Amino acid sequence: MTVLMFHSVGCEKNEWYRNWLSVSLDHFESFCKFLVDENYETVFLDEWYNEQGSPSKESTRKVVLTFDDGYLDNWVYAYPILKKYRLKGTIFVNPEFIDNSENIRFNLEDVWDNKINVGELSPIGFLNWSELKKMDSSNTIDIQSHSMSHNFYFHSNNIRDIYTGQPHYDWMAWINKPHRKPYYTTENQKQFVPFGNPIFDFGRALGLRRYFPDENLVKYAIELYSNNEKLRDKSLLIEKLNKKLITFPGTYETDEEMEKRYRYELFESKSLLEEKLNKKIDFLCWPGGGYNDLSVNLSIEAGYKASTVSFKDKKLVENNADDYKRIKRSAMGSFISTNTKYHYVKDSNYLINLFKYHNGSVLHKNLYRINKLGFIILDKIGL
């Protein structure tokens, strides 16, 4: 049974840094129609779970559609289209990103009912509890856990960059102003992090021991950046900061602190979702595929029946006969990435071809490679 990974739907043209996570409405609806026309059945993860480890039960005509992060467009676009085609999807949600609003917002169903024009829909942002409850009470969407925070954290005292408002460090604002996390796609949060702040080696929250820079070093870095134009050269600033690290080396989490943080991420997200949605939460998606032995063991202790697996650990799903199972997923997107950018693929059948590639089609694997090579060539000639 194939498990597919989506994120956002219908926001590929919007001005937010991660718009490459979004599949276009054209691609998404074409793919949904394909699943129906080809007699594929979409199921929730509990049915997937019951078929694991039993080859005689496994079906190649069943598909699990999963959506990470809980974007508002999952309500605005994905949910109505899935309902239209009588398909099912699973949304993995981080409670720290759930919007604080209470009213259910307009979606495509309201457009179809002539209550609003499609151009008046507002798909950017994150889901609120009302929308989550509405979808989860249907037979179309199943809500599951994506941990609490989805944060990145520093894990060593190696300085790799200096913060000057780069969009790919938007997670720095999540840490400094956690109550504003649900709005990072709709507001400018660069001011939440002082320019000049050193960026150390970082990774996913549930796969590392957190490193805490010394506050004196951070203050020193910010002042140097602010007051000395010559030190706006990042290499010079990093060189000075590395010398200062001898005096202010920073600290690391203790074993106890790390376990406490992991427990919050795994136990609290499960408990909160179960309380709010009045249901059992059995499945966990690791943000960014970040986990380690401790976090996996704690997820088992928390009562999760299965969790996603990183592509590097794909051997863990070859048997999948243990009670605690691992979910191997295949990424679905409207973009092909090269070393320099993300390229949108215009072909409306692109997700269909990508699905066939994931299901082992040599022809569609080669078509993907040809597509990517074409974009690499375009990059080189500057188009």
Side-chain angles (χ1 to χ4, degrees):
M1 189 186 303
T2 304
V3 184
L4 301 177
M5 175 181 66
F6 294 88
H7 287 78
S8 161
V9 175
C11 296
E12 78 284 354
K13 295 179 181 178
N14 289 84
E15 294 299 320
W16 62 296
Y17 168 65
R18 290 183 171 83
N19 65 353
W20 47 268
L21 286 174
S22 200
V23 297
S24 71
L25 287 178
D26 181 34
H27 286 176
F28 188 66
E29 184 150 18
S30 293
F31 181 65
C32 289
K33 188 175 185 302
F34 162 81
L35 291 177
V36 173
D37 290 344
E38 297 297 318
N39 296 313
Y40 281 95
E41 180 186 2
T42 53
V43 300
F44 293 141
L45 284 167
D46 53 357
E47 188 166 341
W48 167 90
Y49 181 89
N50 290 332
E51 290 193 9
Q52 297 305 296
S54 302
S56 60
K57 290 183 180 179
E58 290 189 30
S59 170
T60 58
R61 306 303 294 180
K62 291 182 180 179
V63 182
V64 182
L65 307 180
T66 68
F67 301 81
D68 291 8
D69 304 337
Y71 294 107
L72 175 57
D73 58 62
N74 290 187
W75 160 259
V76 174
Y77 296 134
Y79 174 61
I81 292 173
L82 291 173
K83 279 182 68 177
K84 175 181 175 181
Y85 289 97
R86 297 183 180 179
L87 301 175
K88 297 179 179 180
T90 297
I91 301 176
F92 292 110
V93 175
N94 306 96
E96 286 191 4
F97 276 94
I98 293 175
D99 191 285
N100 290 323
S101 62
E102 296 181 358
N103 295 329
I104 291 179
R105 289 162 283 190
F106 290 113
N107 68 9
L108 271 180
E109 290 184 292
D110 297 302
V111 174
W112 299 334
D113 291 339
N114 296 314
K115 295 178 182 177
I116 188 174
N117 294 322
V118 67
E120 297 176 278
L121 293 175
S122 299
I124 297 296
F126 286 85
L127 297 163
N128 64 31
W129 283 114
S130 298
E131 292 149 354
L132 288 166
K133 291 175 183 177
K134 176 78 172 177
M135 288 190 290
D136 195 68
S137 64
S138 70
N139 194 39
T140 301
I141 294 293
D142 179 35
I143 305 299
Q144 295 293 331
S145 174
H146 202 23
S147 82
M148 279 296 290
S149 76
H150 208 299
N151 281 351
F152 296 78
Y153 290 124
F154 300 144
H155 64 78
S156 88
N157 65 354
N158 178 56
I159 302 172
R160 59 186 296 169
D161 203 354
I162 301 297
Y163 182 76
T164 56
Q166 303 96 313
H168 55 286
Y169 296 138
D170 47 14
W171 51 270
M172 293 284 288
W174 306 351
I175 296 171
N176 286 0
K177 302 274 188 179
H179 65 287
R180 299 307 302 170
K181 289 172 76 168
Y183 314 107
Y184 91 91
T185 59
T186 57
E187 67 183 13
N188 185 348
Q189 297 190 348
K190 290 180 181 180
Q191 71 275 13
F192 293 174
V193 183
F195 283 22
N197 204 305
I199 304 292
F200 298 82
D201 288 338
F202 60 89
R204 300 289 183 167
L206 283 159
L208 53 77
R209 183 186 301 275
R210 191 174 176 185
Y211 166 73
F212 298 96
D214 191 296
E215 291 181 3
N216 293 299
L217 179 78
V218 174
K219 183 179 179 182
Y220 174 74
I222 293 168
E223 288 177 351
L224 277 179
Y225 182 86
S226 299
N227 299 331
N228 193 325
E229 286 292 333
K230 290 182 180 178
L231 288 176
R232 296 290 177 90
D233 182 327
K234 291 182 181 180
S235 59
L236 288 176
L237 182 51
I238 290 173
E239 183 180 341
K240 271 191 167 291
L241 293 177
N242 278 326
K243 292 177 182 177
K244 207 73 172 177
L245 272 170
I246 299 171
T247 307
F248 302 114
T251 59
Y252 290 87
E253 283 180 316
T254 64
D255 288 347
E256 293 77 13
E257 289 168 337
M258 182 168 63
E259 180 172 332
K260 181 180 179 181
R261 177 169 61 81
Y262 283 14
R263 284 182 177 276
Y264 166 74
E265 293 273 5
L266 300 170
F267 285 72
E268 186 66 20
S269 59
K270 188 176 191 295
S271 175
L272 184 57
L273 289 169
E274 289 179 342
E275 176 191 345
K276 291 283 191 179
L277 301 176
N278 192 28
K279 62 176 283 185
K280 191 87 184 301
I281 297 296
D282 288 322
F283 302 102
L284 169 69
C285 173
W286 302 101
Y291 53 81
N292 56 26
D293 289 345
L294 174 61
S295 54
V296 169
N297 288 335
L298 287 174
S299 73
I300 296 171
E301 183 184 332
Y304 293 102
K305 292 166 62 176
S307 66
T308 53
V309 65
S310 169
F311 71 92
K312 68 179 183 297
D313 290 336
K314 58 185 177 182
K315 288 186 177 180
L316 293 177
V317 300
E318 287 180 354
N319 186 346
N320 229 13
D322 294 337
D323 288 343
Y324 183 82
K325 304 186 186 304
R326 304 307 298 269
I327 308 166
K328 177 187 173 184
R329 299 189 298 166
S330 299
M332 298 289 279
S334 290
F335 292 79
I336 290 179
S337 64
T338 62
N339 289 334
T340 57
K341 63 178 69 172
Y342 291 91
H343 295 268
Y344 178 74
V345 182
K346 294 179 180 179
D347 181 6
S348 62
N349 291 323
Y350 178 62
L351 290 185
I352 299 170
N353 295 333
L354 192 57
F355 175 70
K356 291 178 179 178
Y357 163 25
H358 290 319
N359 275 351
S361 167
V362 175
L363 170 63
H364 290 90
K365 190 171 188 176
N366 288 332
L367 285 174
Y368 175 84
R369 288 172 172 167
I370 291 169
N371 257 328
K372 184 160 186 172
L373 178 60
F375 287 127
I376 291 171
I377 292 171
L378 289 175
D379 287 348
K380 287 186 177 180
I381 63 178
L383 293 179

